[in-house]
C-alpha cells in the first residue's frame, strides 16, 4: 500500500520569517565585528511594529534601527499599503547582556544550554532532504524570485506566501508522484482568483516540480480561500523561532524544540543541530544507509555530548550503535570542536533564515559538505 507525506514552507515575507531574518541579520552584524560575542536575539513584529529583545554581550555597537529597516526593505515591504513598511515601522529594542550564570559554563567551553538536537538525511533527493520539503521551499522561493526579479510576469504579487506539498510514496518508501500542491500567495486588490491560480500553476508549480512527478490526478489548491490581500505582519503577528519544522526537515524527522535564528553558535540549539545534519548527510552519502537520523544531547556548561543516538530506520549496512560509537571516537562534538570544524563564527546566518537551513548548495553552509564520507567508509 502506498502512503502520503506532506511538508510546508513559507516565504521570506511571512511574518515569522521576517522575524527570523531580522534576528539573524543582527547576529551577522555583530559577528562581523566581534566573533566571540554571545547573542540570543528574538524579534516580534505586528502592524507597524518591530520589537527586538534578548541577551547580547558584545564589544560592537549594533544600529538596530538600520539593520531592521534594511531587512524589511530587502524582503519587499516597501509600500504603505502593506501597513508594514521599512519607512514607517516603529522599531523598539529591549536588549540585555547574557546572564553571567550562563557565561560561567560557556566561557570554559561548555554547551550554552541543555537540550537535544536532531539531524537527518535521506537519499530520496540530490539534496539528501525529504522530497516534499525540497519542493515546498522551491515553490515559495520561485514566487519571491518572480516578485523581485521578474515582476512583469505576475505584477500583483506581495511578499507573504505559503506552500505545501504532498508526496505519494510506495510501500518500500520510494517517492512516486506529487499528489497535492497548496500555494497561498499575497496579492494586490482587484486580481481574480482564477488569474492567480492559472499564473501560479504555469509560472511557479510547473517550473519547479518536474513533469514526471505531476499527473492528471495531481491536485492544485491556489489561494483556496479565494483572496489573500491582507498579509505579512499586518495580517498576522510574527515571532522568531516559530517555524522550526520549516527550518529543518518538514516533519520527516524529530525536532528537539530549540529554534536557530538569532543564536550565536555557542548555543548548541544551533551548532549541534548543524553538526547532526552534517553527520547524517555524510553517513547517507557514504552509502552506509538510505536514511539516517542522529540525536545529540548536551548539558549546560558541559563540553562533551551526554548522548549520541543513531537511527537508520532499518536501512543501515552497519549497526546503528556501531555508527554511534564510531562518531563518539572519531568526531569532535564539543561546541568548540563543532564551531571550528564548520567555521560557524562567521556572519553567514541571515541567508539561513528563509527557505531552510539544510539541503542548500551554498559554500557558507559548511554543514552540507561531504567531507566526512571517506571517514565513515572506514566503518566495517
Amino acid at each position: 500500500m502506498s502512503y502520503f507525506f506532506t511538508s510546508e514552507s513559507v516565504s521570506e515575507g511571512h511574518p515569522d520569517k521576517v522575524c527570523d531574518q531580522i534576528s539573524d541579520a543582527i547576529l551577522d552584524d555583530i559577528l562581523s565585528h566581534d566573533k566571540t560575542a554571545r547573542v540570543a536575539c528574538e524579534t516580534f513584529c505586528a502592524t507597524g511594529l518591530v520589537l527586538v529583545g534578548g541577551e547580547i554581550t558584545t564589544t560592537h555597537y549594533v544600529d538596530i534601527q538600520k539593520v531592521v529597516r534594511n531587512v524589511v526593505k530587502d524582503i519587499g515591504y516597501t509600500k504603505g499599503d502593506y501597513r508594514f513598511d521599512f519607512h514607517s515601522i516603529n522599531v523598539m529594542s529591549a536588549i540585555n547582556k547574557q546572564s553571567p550564570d550562563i557565561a560561567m559554563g560557556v566561557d570554559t567551553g561548555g554547551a550554552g544550554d541543555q537540550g537535544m538536537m536532531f539531524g537527518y538525511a535521506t537519499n530520496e533527493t540530490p539534496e539528501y532532504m525529504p522530497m516534499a520539503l525540497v519542493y515546498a521551499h522551491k515553490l515559495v522561493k520561485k514566487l519571491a524570485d518572480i516578485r523581485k526579479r521578474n515582476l512583469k510576469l505576475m505584477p500583483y504579487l506581495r511578499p507573504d506566501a505559503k506552500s505545501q506539498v504532498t508526496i505519494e510514496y510506495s510501500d518500500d518508501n520510494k517517492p512516486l508522484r506529487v499528489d497535492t500542491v497548496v500555494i497561498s500567495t499575497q496579492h494586490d486588490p482587484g486580481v481574480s482568483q482564477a488569474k492567480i491560480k492559472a499564473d501560479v500553476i504555469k509560472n511557479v508549480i510547473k517550473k519547479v516540480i518536474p513533469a514526471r512527478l505531476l499527473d492528471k490526478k495531481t491536485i492544485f489548491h491556489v489561494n483556496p480561500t479565494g483572496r489573500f490581500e491582507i498579509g505579512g505582519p499586518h495580517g498576522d503577528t510574527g515571532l522568531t523561532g516559530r517555524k522550526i519544522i520549516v527550518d529543518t526537515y518538514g516533519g520527516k524527522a524529530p525536532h528537539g524544540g530549540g529554534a536557530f535564528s538569532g543564536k550565536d553558535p555557542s548555543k548548541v540549539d544551533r551548532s549541534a543541530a548543524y553538526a547532526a545534519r552534517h553527520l547524517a548527510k555524510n553517513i547517507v552519502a557514504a552509502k552506509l544507509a538510505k536514511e539516517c537520523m542522529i540525536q545529540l544531547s548536551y548539558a549546560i556548561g558541559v563540553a562533551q555530548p551526554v548522548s549520541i543516538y543513531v537511527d537508520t530506520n532499518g536501512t543501515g549496512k552497519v549497526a546503528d550503535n556501531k555508527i554511534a560509537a564510531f562518531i563518539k571516537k572519531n568526531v569532535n562534538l564539543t561546541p568548540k570542536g563543532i564551531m571550528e570544524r564548520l567555521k560557524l563564527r562567521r556572519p553567514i546566518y541571515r541567508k539561513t533564515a528563509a527557505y531552510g537551513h539544510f539541503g542548500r548548495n551554498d559554500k557558507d553552509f559548511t554543514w552540507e559538505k561531504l567531507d566526512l564520507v571517506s571517514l565513515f567508509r572506514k566503518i566495517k
Side-chain angles (χ1 to χ4, degrees):
M1 289 287 291
S2 64
Y3 66 93
F4 300 85
F5 188 84
T6 302
S7 293
E8 71 160 349
S9 184
V10 298
S11 73
E12 64 200 66
H14 184 281
D16 294 331
K17 279 289 145 203
V18 171
C19 293
D20 285 343
Q21 289 167 93
I22 289 171
S23 294
D24 272 338
I26 291 170
L27 172 62
D28 281 354
D29 185 68
I30 293 169
L31 290 178
S32 295
H33 300 85
D34 181 5
K35 295 185 183 302
T36 61
R38 302 283 164 72
V39 182
C41 177
E42 310 223 8
T43 304
F44 167 86
C45 67
T47 302
L49 171 68
V50 172
L51 171 62
V52 178
E55 296 76 44
I56 298 176
T57 301
T58 181
T59 58
H60 172 61
Y61 168 76
V62 185
D63 188 339
I64 298 289
Q65 291 276 340
K66 180 179 179 181
V67 173
V68 169
R69 293 183 194 280
N70 282 343
V71 171
V72 173
K73 181 181 179 181
D74 289 346
I75 291 169
Y77 285 108
T78 57
K79 300 177 182 179
D81 290 348
Y82 299 159
R83 306 291 180 89
F84 182 89
D85 69 276
F86 79 101
H87 290 294
S88 62
I89 50 173
N90 180 20
V91 179
M92 301 176 66
S93 175
I95 302 289
N96 292 306
K97 290 185 177 181
Q98 183 185 64
S99 162
D101 296 345
I102 297 174
M104 285 173 58
V106 181
D107 289 345
T108 57
D113 202 353
Q114 71 175 45
M116 63 280 192
M117 300 83 207
F118 291 89
Y120 178 78
T122 172
N123 68 357
E124 69 184 49
T125 63
E127 295 88 353
Y128 294 91
M129 290 287 287
M131 183 177 285
L133 184 62
V134 167
Y135 289 128
H137 282 323
K138 288 183 178 181
L139 289 169
V140 285
K141 180 66 165 59
K142 183 68 172 178
L143 278 169
D145 289 344
I146 291 172
R147 177 174 57 84
K148 289 183 166 184
R149 300 177 180 88
N150 194 14
L151 188 56
K152 291 181 179 179
L153 193 62
M154 298 170 69
Y156 48 80
L157 290 177
R158 289 185 173 187
D160 197 357
K162 300 181 76 171
S163 66
Q164 186 172 283
V165 176
T166 301
I167 303 292
E168 181 178 1
Y169 285 83
S170 64
D171 57 4
D172 59 350
N173 299 318
K174 293 180 180 178
L176 300 174
R177 55 184 288 274
V178 172
D179 182 75
T180 306
V181 179
V182 182
I183 293 184
S184 295
T185 182
Q186 187 187 11
H187 58 87
D188 289 341
V191 187
S192 72
Q193 200 269 349
K195 166 71 171 168
I196 296 170
K197 183 172 184 177
D199 285 351
V200 166
I201 292 173
K202 176 183 177 183
N203 300 318
V204 181
I205 296 173
K206 291 190 175 180
K207 295 293 185 183
V208 166
I209 300 176
R212 61 181 173 80
L213 294 174
L214 301 173
D215 56 34
K216 293 181 179 179
K217 293 183 179 180
T218 302
I219 300 166
F220 302 124
H221 293 298
V222 179
N223 284 13
T225 66
R227 186 175 65 211
F228 185 8
E229 295 175 12
I230 300 171
H234 178 54
D236 192 8
T237 57
L239 189 64
T240 298
R242 209 157 51 178
K243 286 293 176 284
I244 56 177
I245 301 304
V246 170
D247 285 343
T248 53
Y249 306 103
K252 203 70 184 289
H255 195 292
F260 301 156
S261 291
K263 295 178 181 177
D264 78 81
S266 73
K267 313 311 191 274
V268 284
D269 276 340
R270 181 166 222 157
S271 54
Y274 289 178
R277 161 64 178 176
H278 186 221
L279 294 172
K281 182 177 180 181
N282 277 267
I283 287 167
V284 174
K287 298 186 178 180
L288 294 180
K290 293 180 180 178
E291 66 174 306
C292 181
M293 185 275 290
I294 292 179
Q295 184 202 57
L296 305 175
S297 64
Y298 291 82
I300 189 168
V302 179
Q304 294 291 343
V306 173
S307 67
I308 302 171
Y309 173 72
V310 175
D311 182 3
T312 59
N313 197 26
T315 69
K317 295 180 179 179
V318 178
D320 293 347
N321 59 357
K322 195 170 185 178
I323 297 174
F326 185 88
I327 292 171
K328 183 176 182 179
K329 182 178 179 180
N330 293 280
V331 183
N332 185 344
L333 290 174
T334 65
K336 181 181 179 182
I338 293 170
M339 286 187 282
E340 289 178 352
R341 182 170 63 258
L342 300 181
K343 299 179 175 62
L344 295 181
R345 288 203 174 276
R346 296 173 296 142
I348 59 173
Y349 295 105
R350 183 187 160 187
K351 56 186 172 182
T352 69
Y355 312 117
H357 293 245
F358 307 123
R360 294 167 61 179
N361 183 23
D362 186 304
K363 63 181 178 60
D364 288 329
F365 287 49
T366 50
W367 49 94
E368 293 297 315
K369 289 185 176 181
L370 296 176
D371 53 350
L372 297 181
V373 169
S374 59
L375 175 66
F376 284 121
R377 283 179 176 162
K378 295 178 182 178
I379 304 177
K380 302 294 183 181

